[in-house]
Amino acid sequence: MFKLRDRSIIALRNGKLGCCTAHSVIPIVESIIETQFRQTSLNLHNREEESSKFHFLQRLNPKFYISALVNCRNLTQVRQVHAQASVHGMLENIVVANKLIYFYSYYRALDDAYGLFDGMCVRDSVSWSVMVGGFAKVGDYINCFGTFRELIRCGARPDNYTLPFVIRACRDLKNLQMGRLIHHIVYKFGLDLDHFVCAALVDMYVKCREIEDARFLFDKMQERDLVTWTVMIGGYAECGKANESLVLFEKMREEGVVPDKVAMVTVVFACAKLGAMHKARIIDDYIQRKKFQLDVILGTAMIDMYAKCGCVESAREIFDRMEEKNVISWSAMIAAYGYHGQGRKALDLFRMMLSSGMLPDKITLASLLYACSHAGLVEEGLRFFSSMWEDYSVRTDVKHYTCVVDLLGRAGRLDEAFKLIKSMTIEKDEGLWGAFLGACRTHKDVVLAEKAATSLLELQSQNPGHYVLLSNIYANAGRWEDVAKIRDLMSQRRLKKTPGWTWIEVDNKSHQFSVGDTTHPRSKEIYEMLKSLSNKLELVGYVPDTNFVLHDVDEELKIGILYTHSEKLAIAFGLIATPEHTSIRIIKNLRVCGDCHTFCKLVSEIAGRVIIVRDANRFHHFKEGACSCGDYW
C-alpha cells in the first residue's frame, strides 16, 4: 500500500490537484524527495562501508587466497595473488605460502618459488616437499639435491612426500651412488617400510639396473600396488631377464592384483624380449578374454611381440584388427617385415600407409631402410634415403645413415659405404661403425675393418663385442699375432667375450645350450642325432666351413668345434623332442655363423622341418633347403 506522500506525488504528476494546492504541496514534496535522497545516500554509504569491511575481513582469511590461487590460469595471476597476500600480511600464514610455492612450481617459475621459500621464517614438511619436488619436476637436480641437503642439515625430518621426489631424481639421473645414500637416510628415519618410499626405491634400483636390490625391497614391501608390480615386471625385461618378468606376472595374478592396460603393455614387452611363442599365445588369449581394447599402444606392443616371437603373420593379424593406427603402429609392422627379411611386403605396406593419408616419420623410414637392407633391396633403399627430405620432410639422422651403410655393406659395396661415412656432417655413433665393421668381416676387408675398429673403440672402449669382432676378422685372415694382441688387450681391460647361447622351447619349457654343452639330461640322444645328421648331410654334399672356427688349431679340431655349436645342439634336441613335421623355433643371442646357416638349410630339407632361427640381427626361416634371407644376412 502506498504511503500518503507517494500518493501526493502521483496525483501531482497526473494533474489531479488544484493550482493552489499544487503550489502548497510542491515544497512538501521537494522536502520529502530530499529526505529520501539523503536516506538513500546514507544507506548506500553504509552498504559500501559494510562491503569494504567484508572484503577487508575476507582478505584476512587464508581460504580466500587458496581459492584465488586455484582459480589462477597463468603465472601473472599467481603473482597478482602473491602481491595481495603480501600487502595484507598473509605470507606469514604457512598454508598460503606453501600454496604459492606450489603454484609457482606448477608454472615452472622456480626462481619465484625459491625466493618465497627462502624468505619463510617457518617451514613445515609441505614446504620442503613442494620445493624439492618443484626442482625435481623441471629437471633441476642440483637444486633438488641441494634443497634436500638443506632440509637434513637444518634438522627437519624428511617424510614420505619429500623422499620419493629425491629418489626419483636419482632414478632420472641413474645416479646409483646418490640413490644408495638416500636409501641410508630412509633407514635412518625409519621409513624403509613406507609404501610410497619403498615403491620409489624399487623404481630407482630398476632404472639403475640393480635388479637384485630392487627385488629385495619389492619382496619386503608389506603392500604392493599395481604400479610397483608393473615397474618390477618391466625392470626384469629391461635387464634381460624376461622370463622372470612373466613369472612375476603370474605371481601378481595369483595374489589377486588385476592388471590394467599399462601392466599388460609391460608384460607384452617382456614376452617380446623373451621371444617365446607359447607365452605370446597365452598373453594374447588373456588380453582377449579380459576384453582389453586393442588401442594404438597395446596393439603396437603386440605387433612387436609377435614379430619378435617369430610369427609375422600373427603380427599382421593384430595390425589388421586395430581400429585405430598411428604412425608408430605402421612403423612397427614395417619393422616386423624387416626382421623377417620380407622387404617387398614392407615396401607394399609403406605404400598402403601413404595411400591412407598417414605421413611417415623418421622411425618409419629407418624401419623401411632396415627392411631394404635385410632383403638386398639396394636401389630401393638408396632411393628412399636420397628423397627423405624432399618427399617426406624428414631429415636424415645417424640411424638412417647406419641403415644405408649396412645396406651397402651387405651388398659388398664397402668403398661406397666408407665414402658415405666420411661425407657425413652429423656425429657418428657406435651403431654406425659397428654396422660397417660387420660388413668388413663378411667381405673379409681387413684394411677397412681396422679403420672402423679404431673409430669404434674410441667411442666404446669397454664393449667386448667390438674387440671380438676385430679379432675374428684377423683370425679369418690368418693374422694370429694380431688375434693374440686383441685378446691381450681385452685381458688388460678385464673384458670378457659374451658367451654364445641358444634357447629352444619344447612342451612350453625353455631349454638352453652353449657350445659343446653336455649338461642336458638328453645329451647322449642329442649327440647321437647330431652324428646321424652329419652322416646324412655329407651324402648331400655338406662340407664344414672351418673358416668360422676362429682359433689357431688344426682342421680336425676345428671340425669338432663346429660340430658342437649351440644352435646345432638345440636343433638336434628339437628333432628328437618334438613331433615330426612340426616347426622348430630357436633363439640365439649372437649372430648365427655361416656354417650353421648352411647346416640349418640342409637339415630343413632332409628332415622335412621348418626351422625358425632368431639371432641377434633378424629371423631366418629355413624351409626345404632355403632360407628366407636368401643367404643375404
Side-chain angles (χ1 to χ4, degrees):
M1 182 176 289
F2 289 110
K3 293 181 181 179
L4 176 60
R5 62 186 179 185
D6 297 323
R7 286 200 299 268
S8 299
I9 293 169
I10 293 170
L12 181 63
R13 285 176 180 170
N14 292 335
K16 292 181 179 178
L17 292 177
C19 185
C20 294
T21 309
H23 280 291
S24 61
V25 168
I26 286 171
I28 299 171
V29 171
E30 287 176 346
S31 175
I32 293 169
I33 292 171
E34 186 178 350
T35 302
Q36 282 187 319
F37 177 77
R38 286 176 181 172
Q39 186 65 42
T40 303
S41 297
L42 183 62
N43 290 341
L44 285 171
H45 176 73
N46 289 339
R47 274 200 291 264
E48 284 175 7
E49 196 173 74
E50 287 174 9
S51 176
S52 177
K53 186 177 180 181
F54 171 77
H55 285 298
F56 176 76
L57 291 173
Q58 192 179 32
R59 281 171 170 75
L60 297 180
N61 185 349
K63 292 181 181 179
F64 171 79
Y65 295 95
I66 292 168
S67 175
L69 285 168
V70 169
N71 291 318
C72 288
R73 294 292 174 264
N74 53 53
L75 185 58
T76 301
Q77 293 177 354
V78 174
R79 285 177 174 147
Q80 289 171 349
V81 176
H82 186 176
Q84 286 288 323
S86 180
V87 167
H88 291 92
M90 288 304 296
L91 295 182
E92 299 299 319
N93 185 292
I94 197 165
V95 177
V96 174
N98 286 344
K99 208 69 175 177
L100 274 165
I101 294 170
Y102 170 79
F103 275 97
Y104 275 133
S105 300
Y106 179 81
Y107 287 106
R108 306 175 76 86
L110 270 300
D111 288 340
D112 296 84
Y114 192 76
L116 178 57
F117 174 83
D118 194 41
M120 290 173 69
C121 298
V122 179
R123 299 166 184 158
D124 62 6
S125 59
V126 176
S127 317
W128 290 105
S129 297
V130 172
M131 200 65 251
V132 170
F135 283 127
K137 285 175 182 175
V138 300
D140 187 350
Y141 300 119
I142 293 175
N143 278 318
C144 173
F145 292 136
T147 307
F148 182 72
R149 184 177 59 221
E150 188 183 346
L151 179 157
I152 298 297
R153 284 178 174 176
C154 75
R157 179 184 176 86
D159 59 16
N160 61 358
Y161 290 96
T162 313
L163 281 165
F165 283 123
V166 187
I167 294 166
R168 284 167 196 152
C170 298
R171 174 201 68 185
D172 294 342
L173 286 172
K174 293 183 173 57
N175 189 333
L176 183 61
Q177 183 179 1
M178 181 65 80
R180 292 198 189 282
L181 181 63
I182 302 299
H183 195 172
H184 286 309
I185 293 172
V186 168
Y187 276 115
K188 179 181 177 181
F189 287 95
L191 290 166
D192 51 303
L193 295 179
D194 182 88
H195 168 72
F196 297 106
V197 175
C198 245
L201 282 168
V202 169
D203 190 25
M204 184 271 294
Y205 280 123
V206 163
K207 293 298 186 297
C208 292
R209 304 183 83 81
E210 291 292 324
I211 199 71
E212 300 305 324
D213 289 337
R215 183 59 188 267
F216 176 76
L217 280 174
F218 179 84
D219 289 338
K220 276 180 61 181
M221 290 178 71
Q222 295 176 339
E223 58 174 296
R224 298 181 283 262
D225 61 11
L226 177 58
V227 174
T228 310
W229 280 99
T230 304
V231 166
M232 197 69 237
I233 290 168
Y236 272 125
E238 288 282 3
C239 293
K241 297 184 176 182
N243 193 53
E244 283 86 343
S245 290
L246 301 182
V247 170
L248 200 61
F249 174 62
E250 291 301 322
K251 185 178 179 182
M252 180 184 88
R253 291 172 57 201
E254 288 169 8
E255 293 192 12
V257 180
V258 179
D260 62 3
K261 192 172 290 184
V262 175
M264 289 313 304
V265 169
T266 305
V267 172
V268 167
F269 169 75
C271 190
K273 287 274 188 177
L274 187 63
M277 179 56 71
H278 79 277
K279 294 283 188 184
R281 298 291 186 203
I282 291 169
I283 291 167
D284 191 358
D285 289 343
Y286 181 82
I287 287 169
Q288 291 191 56
R289 195 166 63 251
K290 295 296 181 180
K291 295 182 169 49
F292 282 104
Q293 184 184 359
L294 211 61
D295 61 9
V296 291
I297 298 173
L298 183 57
T300 302
M302 291 184 70
I303 290 169
D304 187 58
M305 175 186 73
Y306 270 126
K308 289 178 178 174
C309 288
C311 189
V312 71
E313 294 79 15
S314 294
R316 183 59 189 264
E317 286 175 17
I318 296 290
F319 179 81
D320 290 338
R321 274 169 48 197
M322 291 171 65
E323 293 182 6
E324 182 186 353
K325 304 177 185 74
N326 64 6
V327 66
I328 302 173
S329 313
W330 286 93
S331 300
M333 194 63 235
I334 290 168
Y337 281 128
Y339 298 148
H340 292 267
Q342 299 182 20
R344 292 291 175 193
K345 289 187 177 181
L347 292 175
D348 291 342
L349 190 66
F350 180 70
R351 295 186 189 99
M352 189 187 300
M353 174 184 174
L354 295 177
S355 65
S356 74
M358 184 73 66
L359 292 175
D361 63 7
K362 61 181 182 179
I363 297 172
T364 315
L365 291 168
S367 300
L368 191 66
L369 290 170
Y370 179 92
C372 290
S373 172
H374 283 268
L377 304 175
V378 180
E379 298 309 319
E380 290 88 340
L382 291 175
R383 188 166 61 251
F384 279 117
F385 180 71
S386 62
S387 64
M388 282 173 56
W389 175 248
E390 291 79 3
D391 292 350
Y392 311 112
S393 300
V394 175
R395 294 195 182 279
T396 52
D397 63 20
V398 70
K399 293 188 184 298
H400 301 115
Y401 274 99
T402 300
C403 289
V404 176
V405 166
D406 190 52
L407 175 79
L408 293 169
R410 289 174 188 275
R413 294 159 65 169
L414 296 179
D415 290 332
E416 286 181 62
F418 191 57
K419 184 178 178 181
L420 179 66
I421 292 171
K422 289 194 293 184
S423 71
M424 287 173 60
T425 55
I426 57 178
E427 188 176 351
K428 306 167 185 65
D429 67 4
E430 60 273 9
L432 179 90
W433 286 113
F436 186 62
L437 185 59
C440 292
R441 178 196 175 186
T442 301
H443 298 285
K444 299 180 174 60
D445 192 321
V446 181
V447 175
L448 286 177
E450 288 177 324
K451 292 179 181 178
T454 300
S455 299
L456 191 55
L457 294 177
E458 286 176 1
L459 290 168
Q460 273 194 336
S461 61
Q462 295 301 306
N463 188 330
H466 305 329
Y467 295 87
V468 171
L469 193 52
L470 182 59
S471 173
N472 292 348
I473 292 167
Y474 285 142
N476 273 323
R479 291 170 55 173
W480 299 109
E481 289 183 6
D482 291 319
V483 171
K485 287 178 183 177
I486 294 293
R487 289 179 180 169
D488 286 342
L489 190 58
M490 289 182 69
S491 298
Q492 291 169 20
R493 295 181 179 178
R494 296 181 180 179
L495 301 174
K496 292 184 178 180
K497 178 184 175 182
T498 304
W501 296 98
T502 301
W503 294 265
I504 181 172
E505 285 184 79
V506 174
D507 296 329
N508 296 340
K509 183 180 177 183
S510 185
H511 301 258
Q512 180 176 292
F513 294 91
S514 61
V515 61
D517 205 329
T518 57
T519 60
H520 195 277
R522 300 182 69 177
S523 279
K524 185 178 179 181
E525 296 172 76
I526 290 169
Y527 280 94
E528 287 176 355
M529 173 57 75
L530 265 182
K531 186 176 181 180
S532 173
L533 284 173
S534 296
N535 292 334
K536 292 177 182 178
L537 292 176
E538 285 178 13
L539 294 174
V540 295
Y542 167 66
V543 177
D545 190 345
T546 55
N547 286 324
F548 291 97
V549 179
L550 305 170
H551 299 279
D552 189 13
V553 294
D554 60 41
E555 285 297 304
E556 187 176 346
L557 190 53
K558 284 184 178 182
I559 292 171
I561 293 170
L562 276 178
Y563 175 70
T564 61
H565 272 194
S566 61
E567 48 265 66
K568 291 174 181 172
L569 296 175
I571 290 169
F573 174 65
L575 290 171
I576 64 175
T578 60
E580 290 186 11
H581 308 301
T582 58
S583 298
I584 296 172
R585 296 175 183 272
I586 67 171
I587 298 170
K588 183 174 171 61
N589 66 329
L590 303 176
R591 184 177 186 270
V592 66
C593 83
D595 182 71
C596 288
H597 193 267
T598 303
F599 176 88
C600 292
K601 285 197 297 182
L602 296 174
V603 170
S604 72
E605 183 175 23
I606 64 172
R609 299 284 197 110
V610 172
I611 301 172
I612 301 168
V613 179
R614 168 181 157 183
D615 71 4
N617 294 332
R618 57 168 297 158
F619 278 89
H620 301 263
H621 296 254
F622 299 95
K623 183 179 180 182
E624 297 175 354
C627 180
S628 59
C629 74
D631 298 338
Y632 192 90
W633 90 105

